[in-house]
Amino acid sequence: MFPELTMLLFVIVPLALGFGVGRLRERRHFASLDRREREFADITVTNLKTGAAPERVRSAALVSGEVVIATDYFKTLAAALRKLIGGEMRSYETLMNRARREALLRMLSEARDIGASEVWNVRLESSNVLSATSNNQAASVEVFAFGTAIVR
Amino acid sequence: MIVVNTETIPGYTIREVKGLVQGNTIRAKHFGRDIAAGLKNLVGGELSGYTELLTEARREAVERMLTQAEQLGANAIVNIRFTTSAVTQGAAELYAYGTAVIVDQEPSGVS
């Protein structure tokens, strides 16, 4: 009936929303990540199985953090175009960065709750069960961070 | 029950290895959450409904693993690993496994 209107509704609006709101939200998230990482800077994080002075540990417990995060419509389209010519996919790199840092921070906040000063043997796992099994093609990623919180 | 993903627990010695314990759960996505996630896909950001679902499922898997360890008479689980797999459309499997052990606190453990 109104092909221009349909086009506007289903392509231009999502693109504009993705570009504008998506970018704003991403910038806010990065700012929040920076702030919280400074807050947790006093907790030593290592992927060593055993950190320093294991004989002087009072208690140890599993801590974990998890996040599922999606990219915006604009970046999904930009990535689809990038696939045609190959090369570095910047838009998805920031997605992975956000997810990993967020998951680590959630793990750290669990560690802080039990009074830990270190987290040993940190592992990061990512999967994309939800995007692999869903009908919509927008990229999303699940990141799970876990480690052993050490209370001295 | 002490639960860690390191091979040993600092301040404790492993007296007896009871064997592998595991727990899994398969969760289907919720339709309502899918709609919210569809909207999020426009502007990006955390899909908190899915985060919640996965966290809840992972806790369930760990719970089942703990139950197994208790049945074996263990007092700790070491070297825990997690995996996630896509079983069928719209469902995710969360799997947790580790080694159930009996540990003793070292006399010099706490200074």
Side-chain angles (χ1 to χ4, degrees):
Chain A
M1 210 158 55
F2 299 108
E4 297 87 355
L5 196 70
T6 318
M7 162 104 172
L8 187 79
L9 220 63
F10 288 97
V11 181
I12 308 290
V13 168
L15 268 181
L17 264 179
F19 186 74
V21 184
R23 214 160 62 149
L24 185 73
R25 287 168 62 93
E26 184 176 87
R27 202 179 307 148
R28 272 199 200 142
H29 191 206
F30 273 125
S32 142
L33 287 171
D34 286 339
R35 184 178 51 76
R36 283 180 294 154
E37 271 167 8
R38 278 194 299 273
E39 252 170 55
F40 287 111
D42 55 319
I43 300 182
T44 311
V45 181
T46 174
N47 66 346
L48 293 174
K49 280 178 181 162
T50 309
E55 68 284 353
R56 283 187 290 106
V57 169
R58 198 177 313 154
S59 73
L62 191 74
V63 285
S64 62
E66 184 154 42
V67 68
V68 183
I69 198 163
T71 189
D72 60 64
Y73 191 80
F74 179 79
K75 287 190 164 181
T76 307
L77 195 86
L81 291 176
R82 171 60 80 184
K83 269 190 211 158
L84 295 177
I85 54 171
E88 192 179 12
M89 294 177 98
R90 282 267 178 76
S91 56
Y92 285 173
E93 280 174 10
T94 58
L95 177 74
M96 296 303 295
N97 273 336
R98 285 165 73 188
R100 290 215 175 88
R101 288 170 68 185
E102 183 67 42
L104 277 173
L105 281 169
R106 288 180 187 184
M107 180 194 77
L108 285 175
S109 109
E110 240 183 61
R112 166 135 311 156
D113 285 348
I114 59 169
S117 57
E118 285 158 59
V119 185
W120 294 357
N121 202 25
V122 171
R123 296 280 181 270
L124 280 158
E125 291 212 346
S126 55
S127 57
N128 57 359
V129 170
L130 297 170
S131 54
T133 56
S134 90
N135 300 318
N136 54 30
Q137 291 298 303
S140 69
V141 67
E142 300 129 39
V143 172
F144 182 58
F146 59 107
T148 300
I150 299 295
V151 183
R152 295 285 186 185
Chain B
M1 186 81 70
I2 304 168
V3 178
V4 294
N5 75 333
T6 46
E7 282 167 24
T8 54
I9 305 169
Y12 290 82
T13 44
I14 293 172
R15 172 153 52 94
E16 198 181 333
V17 174
K18 284 292 188 182
L20 193 74
V21 285
Q22 53 197 344
N24 79 332
T25 178
I26 300 177
R27 290 290 171 95
K29 291 185 294 174
H30 189 270
F31 186 66
R33 282 173 173 161
D34 252 9
I35 294 172
L39 291 176
K40 264 297 164 53
N41 277 333
L42 286 183
V43 295
E46 182 179 0
L47 309 176
S48 41
Y50 288 157
T51 306
E52 235 170 72
L53 181 134
L54 285 180
T55 307
E56 214 175 87
R58 212 175 296 269
R59 198 168 296 150
E60 178 71 40
V62 169
E63 248 355 278
R64 290 181 188 177
M65 179 181 69
L66 287 173
T67 312
Q68 263 195 22
E70 264 163 32
Q71 280 166 1
L72 289 172
N75 65 358
I77 306 176
V78 293
N79 209 22
I80 285 175
R81 297 282 181 269
F82 294 94
T83 62
T84 314
S85 50
V87 184
T88 172
Q89 179 127 3
E93 187 204 24
L94 286 296
Y95 182 59
Y97 59 105
T99 303
V101 292
I102 294 181
V103 292
D104 290 329
Q105 189 151 19
E106 281 166 14
S108 59
V110 179
S111 52

